[in-house]
Amino acid sequence: MADDFCFFTMDSFIIKPPKKSPMMLRMVVLIFAMVCGVYICSVGLKQIGVRSSGGLSSIHVVEKPCEATDIEPSEKPYVHFPKPNTFSRAECACNRVRYFAILSTQRSGSGWFETLLNSHMNISSNGEIFSVKVRKSNVSTILETLDKLYNLDFLTSASKNECTAAVGLKWMLNQGLMQHQEQIVEYFKTRGVSAIFLFRRNLLRRMVSMLANSYDQNAKLLNGTHKSHTHSPKEAVILASYKPTINTTLLIPNLKQVDDMAVKAVGYFNSTRHIILYYEDIIKNQTILNYVQDFLKVPRKDLHSHQVKIHKGPLSSQVENWVDVEKTLKGTPYESFLHADYKI
């Protein structure tokens, strides 16, 4: 019986795995090496492409925003730090800039007044921008033009340099200003634009200047050339030689229309930061110009203009039908225009 028993050791139950083929291992290693090689090459090619197309990596410098910390909170909306697209303000990037607009009517002394402002090294007033029809065709183009101007990208002969401290324009009331007054008032308030109203007290003198200028546009008294303003006393005498005949039937309605338009304009812009000036007052007392410079927050300077006044002396010598004009205005609210003269 003992011979019938079979004894098995533990080793008898261990099944050894078959030996792997050396060829299979070599194939696995080869495939792995190929994959790694392709990956390394692709990374290298990408790096070469970036270097060849982009060059050296650019370093972005974070600019510290300009601030006006030493002024009253009420003044901050009127202080700006424009960043022009057409040039760099360089070291003047944080110089404060004020925005303004001279609001006036034709032949009210605005051209002369603007030359006074532009004689200041820190003030740039860019003329009647909206005398060009396309710029005032609708409110969108008006606001776009203002944006360009106040960003210092509207370059004219009046443009100063990157250190300009006050930038603006001369804007006649009939150049889209009254038609779109709601949007423009809102623009002035949100963008911090200050308004400088300039009117004439004697609207009869303004009418004489308007009629004479209109006549010269066709007559061209200066050797076939029309000039609205002059720097020559001799040319001023020639331009003043024409004496207009005033339509007395329309005289009072015309004076009232101009007067009403000025009153409406001031009413519309009453909620903006503004001052009201009169041409005659500046003629008599040019210290008013110090007040204007204070309003624009620029250093006080002696302002000057090379323009020569065209119509001088009493109105009676400048109107062809003066007797009729006197009769028409006597006893009316405009009678004072007959006598309100000033010496120049």
Side-chain angles (χ1 to χ4, degrees):
M1 290 293 292
D3 293 336
D4 294 334
F5 286 100
C6 293
F7 293 93
F8 298 94
T9 64
M10 186 61 68
D11 291 339
S12 301
F13 290 95
I14 296 175
I15 301 175
K16 294 183 179 180
K19 293 183 179 180
K20 291 183 179 179
S21 171
M23 182 62 68
M24 181 65 68
L25 290 174
R26 290 173 185 170
M27 288 295 294
V28 171
V29 172
L30 179 61
I31 292 171
F32 180 76
M34 290 175 64
V35 171
C36 290
V38 170
Y39 174 76
I40 292 171
C41 289
S42 64
V43 172
L45 289 173
K46 286 181 180 179
Q47 290 179 346
I48 293 172
V50 170
R51 287 174 184 170
S52 61
S53 61
L56 295 175
S57 299
S58 59
I59 300 174
H60 297 282
V61 179
V62 178
E63 296 182 2
K64 184 179 179 181
C66 301
E67 295 181 1
T69 57
D70 58 341
I71 62 174
E72 295 294 327
S74 60
E75 285 292 315
K76 286 189 177 182
Y78 306 101
V79 174
H80 310 280
F81 304 97
K83 295 182 179 180
N85 297 314
T86 52
F87 67 95
S88 171
R89 296 189 71 207
E91 69 274 8
C92 295
C94 285
N95 281 23
R96 302 167 186 174
V97 179
R98 300 267 177 165
Y99 301 159
F100 70 90
I102 304 168
L103 309 183
S104 187
T105 57
Q106 283 84 355
R107 313 309 295 180
S108 294
S110 59
W112 168 74
F113 178 73
E114 187 176 48
T115 60
L116 288 170
L117 293 187
N118 278 330
S119 69
H120 195 295
M121 64 182 297
N122 299 122
I123 301 177
S124 176
S125 188
N126 294 272
E128 288 184 40
I129 291 175
F130 293 109
S131 62
V132 179
K133 189 174 181 180
V134 67
R135 294 177 188 152
K136 59 182 177 182
S137 57
N138 57 66
V139 70
S140 296
T141 57
I142 289 175
L143 300 185
E144 287 172 5
T145 302
L146 290 175
D147 282 341
K148 187 175 181 180
L149 169 72
Y150 292 129
N151 200 48
L152 306 184
D153 285 318
F154 198 100
L155 303 179
T156 68
S157 59
S159 301
K160 294 295 195 305
N161 52 40
E162 60 272 13
C163 296
T164 295
V167 61
L169 74 158
K170 185 175 65 167
W171 200 347
M172 302 297 102
L173 300 186
N174 62 352
Q175 293 176 346
L177 188 69
M178 301 294 280
Q179 295 91 321
H180 306 290
Q181 46 87 13
E182 289 186 10
Q183 296 93 329
I184 295 169
V185 166
E186 186 61 26
Y187 182 93
F188 277 29
K189 291 166 67 175
T190 56
R191 293 298 307 275
V193 180
S194 300
I196 302 175
F197 286 101
L198 179 66
F199 301 123
R200 290 191 79 149
R201 292 190 181 277
N202 193 329
L203 298 180
L204 183 58
R205 276 191 173 274
R206 175 185 176 274
M207 179 177 288
V208 171
S209 181
M210 287 281 292
L211 293 172
N213 185 63
S214 178
Y215 171 79
D216 189 68
Q217 288 178 355
N218 296 317
K220 297 180 174 59
L221 298 177
L222 299 175
N223 297 321
T225 302
H226 167 64
K227 286 188 177 181
S228 296
H229 308 94
T230 181
H231 295 167
S232 165
K234 183 178 179 180
E235 290 182 348
V237 171
I238 296 173
L239 292 172
S241 63
Y242 170 72
K243 296 182 179 182
T245 299
I246 295 177
N247 186 331
T248 54
T249 303
L250 299 176
L251 176 56
I252 292 178
N254 286 343
L255 293 175
K256 187 177 187 304
Q257 181 184 19
V258 176
D259 195 18
D260 289 346
M261 182 168 59
V263 172
K264 284 182 180 179
V266 173
Y268 290 152
F269 287 81
N270 192 47
S271 59
T272 67
R273 182 175 183 266
H274 68 277
I275 56 174
I276 303 174
L277 306 174
Y278 291 94
Y279 172 73
E280 291 87 345
D281 297 346
I282 302 174
I283 289 288
K284 293 177 182 178
N285 180 16
Q286 293 206 9
T287 59
I288 292 174
L289 296 174
N290 289 334
Y291 169 59
V292 177
Q293 294 176 79
D294 293 344
F295 179 72
L296 295 176
K297 305 298 182 182
V298 296
R300 288 186 179 184
K301 302 289 183 182
D302 291 330
L303 307 183
H304 58 274
S305 172
H306 296 295
Q307 281 194 13
V308 177
K309 184 167 177 59
I310 296 173
H311 295 95
K312 300 180 180 181
L315 273 171
S316 57
S317 64
Q318 299 171 26
V319 178
E320 189 67 34
N321 58 333
W322 179 250
V323 174
D324 296 333
V325 171
E326 274 190 313
K327 291 179 181 178
T328 302
L329 294 184
K330 278 188 176 180
T332 72
Y334 307 108
E335 183 177 359
S336 61
F337 294 166
L338 298 170
H339 315 292
D341 275 319
Y342 49 90
K343 295 181 180 180
I344 301 177

